[in-house]
């Protein structure tokens, strides 16, 4: 792939460099599935094959000359300019005072992954992209960073805060209820590179930047473009997928640019479940099984990967007004349709009406999501100051419908599809003023001063669906089945509400909003050529229970030689509760887990902390989570072609928010009745429940090997060790100890299962090993990733389950047919490795793999054709 350089990148007032490649603040460049600066050596002309011997001869003239050339090439690779984590004066990744990974757009596109979240999890050892195999949670898979949930990593686009999606995290390894940023709504073709700051930066960027920052840099070329098409399928035969993407750059005015991008994706559903047990039909009057049982396929649910259709659009533009002033803008728009499978409602259950579904049915959750964000800004120079004013508006709306389902309480008159079961919407408006300049105070380099203001409005809303979806029609099962046989359910009421649906009722509608005001000061100084010191402070005020907070950060780097440096960070941070954690309500008739981990049908209510039922069960207003972080590491380049880094870290989080366990049983009958709820409900809410400590180590190494006639090979190795421990746990509310006998229920407020979400659900170790081989017109990428073992804890220790470590191997082979056309064949998880099928057995046959840190769907192959112009 050819690198296009923007006209805008040469202007002083442009804040981002256009260089591609994969590099790191660790002084490694493209250590993780990289784009080589040498690639054009093999693609420059039609007679390149005849020139190859001369090229090799030139390399072999002198070892000294070769070493010098290697140094020059390495210096070019390490010169990628980044702005993440270093406000004001930009720095190359090799000189960054904090660990930064930079992943090129080319590396992203040839990873074989459809979305940016999964790409990051494959290329970075500290990130994991968990599975979520049931219910609406399937549209919200968690990208954990250093074992911390997505809400602890701030996402920026071109250095500006990205809005969050509307649906909260629930299930899988993240039960925090926070709504994360869905970076998969950004077209892959729009991305020039991604800068990942592996360091706390709340003092610089505000709430959420606890575990780090992901800064997505959009393409800014004023010419050229890229078009590609990809198709593939899972080894098991389902999960067909296809994707088309493209981008193009255009000149705008005198020296400006407009770059537009788009992608469209389609993926078929994939399931990976065991056979269900039990019966599907009522027994005959003589007690014998129904003859149809013999031919039943025993498919008890269709959870797994949902069917997806989506398209995303993006633009990035800048227009100089004069030599010192520029207007800029960027935006994205995306729509997604998902069809999510669910547990079968069997013919003999009280969630079925035989007149409508004589064989039972598989309800679907149909999700339509609309996502957009637009930003406009002006930046320029005034005397010695650089200034930047911007405003952005982002919104995500999720609408819920359902097919192949019924509201059983309506009896045979129930519809079998529901077009409006509710909607969720999150809106964020962010305004920034940033200024910076350098002061010459007689030291090795000017004192860099950066300061700014931020005003942010957030609003979370839910909208009630059609009442037919939740109406209680009062249907009582008759004495006889439609076939005339006695009905075992005679005289019993049918379940109420559209099955398998999360329904927004009028009494559960939410409209929560808040404002925040922030100011920051960031200073960078070089007492000597070799020593850098950075100090940052930020004050932020929220007009809700999050209150006010001041946070600081100190970091430093010292270069002992040109090849060895140490760096470190100490600072405080915070994360304000998400509005979804404050105001989200979820009432459903899905499934739940008993204390031993077994899955059962249940009436569930996740209630807001300020609701009557939550207050009666001891809920308190949520406080902001306070954090404290330490980091220390080194950067070493022992050979011109070898880079090695190691960074240790510790992140303490106080008042960490978690969802409580489900509280249910006869002891709650009075409280439920007072709140107008049926006695069978299981109630939970969000609470500041834990103080935790996360400790870990990132080690990254890459080596470029030039075996001359065999091309160029870059070997990479990355390792992450990560462990979270619970320092303390808040005592249960006193009211729970006064409720008395609770036979068959549970009053455990926050138990072992929630502890396990934090301490055992993500791997403690992860290896990423890779080789990228460029030889003539071939570009071969081989990567294998080892995910350490994970555990799923239950309230009762007898329900705990372990899942062993696994190696997942990916391969991509690309061939340049011409300078412009490339064809690729590849596979992810090429050895079809699955997680251990060790989850607690249940009669549906589902969730057999638990919640593994990689997809349980197995091997996937794909082929791709790309054209660059």
């Amino acid at each position: 792939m050819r690198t296009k350089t923007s006209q805008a990148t040469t202007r002083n007032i442009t804040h981002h460099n256009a260089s591609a490649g994969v590099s790191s603040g660790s002084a490694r460049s493209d250590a993780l599935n990289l784009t080589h600066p040498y690639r054009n050596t093999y693609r420059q002309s039609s007679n390149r094959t005849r020139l190859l011997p001369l090229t090799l001869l030139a390399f072999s003239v002198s070892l000294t000359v070769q070493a010098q050339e290697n140094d020059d090439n390495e210096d070019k690779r390490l010169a990628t300019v980044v702005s993440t984590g270093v406000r004001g004066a930009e720095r190359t990744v090799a000189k960054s005072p904090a660990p930064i990974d930079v992943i090129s757009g080319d590396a992203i596109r040839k990873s074989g992954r459809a979305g940016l979240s999964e790409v990051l999890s494959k290329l970075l050892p500290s990130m994991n992209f968990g599975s979520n195999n049931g219910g609406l949670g399937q549209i919200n898979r968690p990208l954990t960073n250093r074992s911390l949930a997505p809400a602890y990593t701030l996402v920026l686009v071109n250095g500006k805060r990205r809005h969050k999606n509307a649906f909260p995290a629930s299930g899988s390894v993240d039960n925090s209820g926070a709504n994360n940023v869905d970076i998969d709504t950004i077209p892959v073709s729009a991305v020039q590179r991604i800068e990942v700051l592996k360091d706390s930066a709340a003092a610089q960027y505000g709430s959420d930047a606890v575990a780090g920052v992901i800064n997505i840099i959009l393409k800014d070329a004023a010419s050229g473009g890229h078009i590609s098409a990809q198709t593939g399928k899972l080894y098991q035969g389902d999960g067909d997928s296809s994707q088309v993407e493209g981008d193009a750059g255009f000149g705008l005015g005198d020296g400006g640019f407009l770059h537009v991008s788009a992608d469209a994706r389609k993926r078929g559903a994939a399931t990976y479940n065991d056979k269900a047990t039990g019966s599907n039909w009522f027994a005959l009057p003589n007690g014998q099984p129904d003859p149809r049982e013999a031919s039943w396929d025993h498919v008890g649910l269709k959870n797994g990967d949902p069917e997806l259709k989506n398209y995303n659009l993006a633009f990035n533009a800048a227009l100089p007004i004069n030599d010192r002033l520029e207007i800029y803008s960027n935006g994205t728009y995306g729509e997604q349709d998902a069809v999510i499978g669910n547990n079968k409602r069997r013919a003999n259950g009280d969630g079925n009406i035989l007149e409508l579904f004589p064989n039972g049915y598989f309800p679907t959750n149909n999700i339509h999501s609309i996502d957009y964000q637009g930003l406009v800004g002006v930046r320029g120079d005034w005397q010695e100051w650089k200034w930047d004013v911007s405003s952005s508006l982002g919104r995500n709306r999720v609408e819920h419908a359902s097919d192949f389902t019924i509201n059983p309480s309506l009896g045979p008159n129930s519809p079998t599809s529901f077009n409006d079961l509710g909607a969720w919407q999150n809106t964020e408006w962010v305004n920034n003023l940033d200024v910076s300049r350098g002061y010459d105070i007689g030291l090795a380099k000017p004192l860099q001063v950066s300061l700014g203001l931020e005003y942010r409005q957030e609003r979370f809303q839910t909208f009630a669906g059609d009442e037919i979806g939740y109406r209680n029609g009062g249907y009582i099962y008759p004495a006889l089945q439609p076939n005339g046989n006695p009905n075992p359910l005679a005289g019993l009421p049918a379940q109420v509400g559209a099955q398998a649906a999360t329904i927004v009722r009028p009494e559960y509608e939410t409209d929560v909003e808040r404002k925040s005001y922030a100011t920051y000061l960031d200073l960078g100084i070089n007492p000597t050529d070799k020593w850098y010191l950075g100090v940052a402070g930020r004050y932020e005020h929220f007009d809700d229970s999050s209150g006010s907070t001041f946070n600081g950060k100190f970091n430093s780097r010292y270069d002992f030689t040109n090849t060895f440096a140490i760096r470190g960070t100490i600072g405080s941070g915070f994360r304000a509760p998400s509005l979804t954690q404050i105001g989200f309500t979820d009432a459903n008739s899905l499934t739940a887990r008993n204390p031993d981990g077994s899955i059962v049908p249940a009436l569930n209510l996740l209630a807001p902390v300020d609701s009557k039922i939550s207050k009666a069960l001891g809920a308190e207003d949520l406080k902001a989570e306070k954090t404290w972080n330490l980091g220390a590491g080194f950067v070493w380049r022992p050979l011109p072609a070898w880079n090695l880094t190691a960074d240790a870290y510790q992140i303490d989080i106080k008042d960490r928010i978690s969802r409580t366990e489900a509280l249910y049983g006869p002891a709650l009958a009075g409280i439920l009745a007072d709140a107008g709820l049926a006695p069978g409900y299981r109630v939970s809410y969000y609470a500041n429940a834990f103080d935790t400590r996360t400790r870990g180590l990132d080690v990254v190494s890459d080596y470029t090997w030039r075996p001359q006639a065999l091309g160029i090979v870059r070997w990479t190795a990355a390792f992450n060790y990560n462990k979270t421990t619970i320092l303390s746990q808040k005592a249960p509310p006193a009211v729970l100890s006064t409720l008395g006998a609770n036979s068959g229920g549970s009053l455990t407020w926050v138990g072992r299962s929630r502890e396990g979400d934090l301490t055992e659900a993500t791997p403690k170790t992860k290896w990423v090993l890779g080789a990228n081989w460029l030889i003539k017109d071939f570009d071969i990428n081989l990567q294998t990733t080892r995910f350490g073992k994970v555990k799923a804890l239950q309230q009762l220790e007898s329900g705990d389950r372990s899942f062993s470590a696994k190696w997942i191997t990916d391969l991509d082979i690309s061939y340049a047919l011409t300078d412009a056309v490339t064809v690729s064949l590849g596979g992810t998880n090429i050895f079809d490795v699955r997680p251990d099928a060790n989850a607690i057995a249940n009669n549906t046959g589902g969730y057999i793999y638990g919640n593994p840190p990689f997809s349980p769907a197995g091997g996937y192959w794909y082929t791709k054709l790309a054209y660059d112009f």
Side-chain angles (χ1 to χ4, degrees), residues 381-614:
D381 298 337
W382 179 72
Q383 295 184 358
E384 300 298 322
W385 291 91
K386 293 182 181 294
W387 58 270
D388 185 334
V389 179
S390 65
S391 180
S392 69
L393 178 66
R395 172 173 290 171
N396 178 258
R397 181 180 176 90
V398 177
E399 300 170 343
H400 181 22
S402 188
D403 288 329
F404 308 109
T405 190
I406 57 175
N407 179 347
S409 73
L410 301 178
N413 296 320
S414 172
T416 57
S417 64
F418 299 83
N419 295 325
D420 181 11
L421 293 171
W424 303 265
Q425 182 170 288
N426 186 67
T427 306
E428 297 180 30
W429 181 37
V430 184
N431 303 272
N432 292 97
L433 167 64
D434 301 290
V435 297
S436 64
R437 65 163 295 176
Y439 286 94
D440 189 352
I441 58 175
L443 297 178
K445 295 180 182 179
L447 166 68
Q448 188 65 38
V449 179
S450 303
L451 64 154
L453 302 171
E454 180 177 276
Y455 170 68
R456 187 164 83 250
Q457 287 187 5
E458 302 172 84
R459 187 178 187 183
F460 173 68
Q461 299 167 276
T462 61
F463 304 90
D466 191 325
E467 63 92 23
I468 198 171
Y470 56 83
R471 181 201 307 166
N472 187 348
Y475 181 75
I476 302 297
Y477 285 104
L480 299 177
Q481 303 175 49
N483 62 9
N485 291 335
N487 190 343
L489 299 177
L492 298 177
Q495 290 192 30
V496 179
Q499 294 297 286
T502 295
I503 305 170
V504 182
R505 303 182 184 184
E507 62 267 32
Y508 297 147
E509 283 190 322
T510 298
D511 191 346
V512 186
E513 61 179 300
R514 70 178 172 203
K515 303 178 180 67
S516 68
Y517 310 82
T519 183
Y520 75 88
L521 175 65
D522 195 341
L523 304 176
I525 189 172
N526 285 84
T528 70
D529 284 334
K530 297 179 179 295
W531 187 16
Y532 169 82
L533 292 172
V535 180
R538 184 184 183 95
Y539 173 80
E540 191 150 356
H541 171 72
F542 291 83
D543 65 355
D544 63 1
S545 63
S546 302
S548 301
T549 180
F550 177 82
N551 295 281
K553 177 180 179 178
F554 172 82
N555 69 318
S556 182
R557 171 175 170 140
Y558 189 83
D559 289 77
F560 288 93
T561 69
N562 291 333
T563 61
F564 183 81
I566 59 173
R567 58 192 177 196
T569 300
I570 184 172
S572 61
F574 73 105
R575 194 193 72 82
S578 299
L579 294 185
T580 50
Q581 292 174 318
I582 296 172
F584 179 71
T585 303
D586 180 6
N588 64 66
S589 56
L590 301 175
T591 59
R593 290 187 182 271
N594 281 333
D596 64 357
S598 59
I599 298 173
V600 295
L603 289 172
N604 304 288
L605 175 62
L606 170 59
V609 293
D610 62 354
S611 65
K612 181 177 181 180
I613 182 65
S614 296

Side-chain angles (χ1 to χ4, degrees), residues 21-24 26 28-35 100-129 143-145 183 188 191-196 198 214 698-702 716-720 766-772 781-787 808-812 828 853 862:
V22 178
S23 49
S24 168
S26 61
R28 67 190 176 96
S29 174
D30 38 0
L32 301 168
N33 235 346
L34 47 98
T35 299
I100 296 179
D101 286 320
V102 178
I103 305 172
S104 74
D106 188 33
I108 294 169
R109 284 180 288 276
K110 66 184 179 181
S111 69
R113 307 288 164 170
L116 297 179
S117 296
E118 196 169 5
V119 170
L120 291 177
S121 72
K122 294 298 294 185
L123 300 183
L124 301 179
S126 62
M127 289 190 173
N128 289 292
F129 189 47
L143 179 65
T144 61
N145 183 14
I183 62 176
V188 171
V191 178
Q192 179 168 287
R193 68 180 186 272
I194 299 178
E195 302 173 0
V196 181
K198 300 183 295 186
I214 298 172
D698 282 323
V699 180
V700 179
S701 175
D702 76 277
T716 64
F719 171 75
N720 172 257
K766 181 180 176 183
W767 282 94
V768 181
L769 307 176
N772 183 196
N781 282 276
L782 177 67
Q783 178 176 295
T784 185
T785 303
R786 182 189 184 274
F787 297 91
I808 307 297
T809 304
D810 301 338
L811 176 65
D812 181 273
T828 62
Y862 64 88

